[in-house]
Amino acid sequence: MSMPKQPKVWIVIPVYNRKDHTRACLESLESLTYTNKQVVIVDDGSTDGTSEMLQKEFPNVDVLKGDGSYFWSKSMNVGLEKVLSVAGERDFVLTLNNDLVVEEDYLTNMVQASQNTSRAL
């Protein structure tokens, strides 16, 4: 009997400039022990090299482009719409700000806690 596959965690992060914060956030997400994840960045027209940094340093991150008028709310909505159009029934969606750095067991603990509480936190 095979073990059930880990649910995928889709991580939606809106960004506008703040390249160094975004890099630190993504580096922490790369070090997570939970591996079934996909990061979706909504870059709302950054002008500080964020787009280039994402393409060069984080090629596995999905990047959606805004036109500079999205701000946080529309960026989050655009990211969530994209994720919900492709996510599976058992998948999770996590929203983060780009100034958050997480510990390596963050997602493992979040998914386990959610599964122990009827998939809600």
Side-chain angles (χ1 to χ4, degrees), residues 23-48:
R23 178 184 288 119
C25 177
L26 293 174
E27 286 173 347
S28 75
L29 293 174
E30 282 187 339
S31 70
L32 290 170
T33 57
Y34 194 91
T35 58
N36 194 11
K37 62 187 180 297
Q38 180 61 48
V39 177
V40 177
I41 295 274
V42 182
D43 179 7
D44 188 26
S46 293
T47 58
D48 68 345

Side-chain angles (χ1 to χ4, degrees), residues 10 38-42 54 58-64 82 86:
W10 297 85
Q38 180 61 48
V39 177
V40 177
I41 295 274
V42 182
L54 290 170
F58 302 96
N60 294 326
V61 169
D62 289 337
V63 179
L64 307 175
K82 171 63 178 178
V86 295

Side-chain angles (χ1 to χ4, degrees), residues 65-118:
K65 302 269 186 183
D67 61 13
S69 68
Y70 285 12
F71 302 99
W72 187 88
S73 295
K74 185 170 180 179
S75 293
M76 191 60 75
N77 286 335
V78 166
L80 291 172
E81 283 179 18
K82 171 63 178 178
V83 165
L84 293 175
S85 75
V86 295
E89 186 177 305
R90 295 191 67 244
D91 292 352
F92 290 97
V93 178
L94 175 66
T95 60
L96 292 179
N97 289 339
N98 69 333
D99 60 356
L100 182 67
V101 173
V102 298
E103 299 292 327
E104 67 181 17
D105 59 352
Y106 178 73
L107 271 188
T108 299
N109 290 339
M110 292 286 282
V111 169
Q112 183 178 15
S114 182
Q115 290 175 327
N116 292 339
T117 57
S118 301

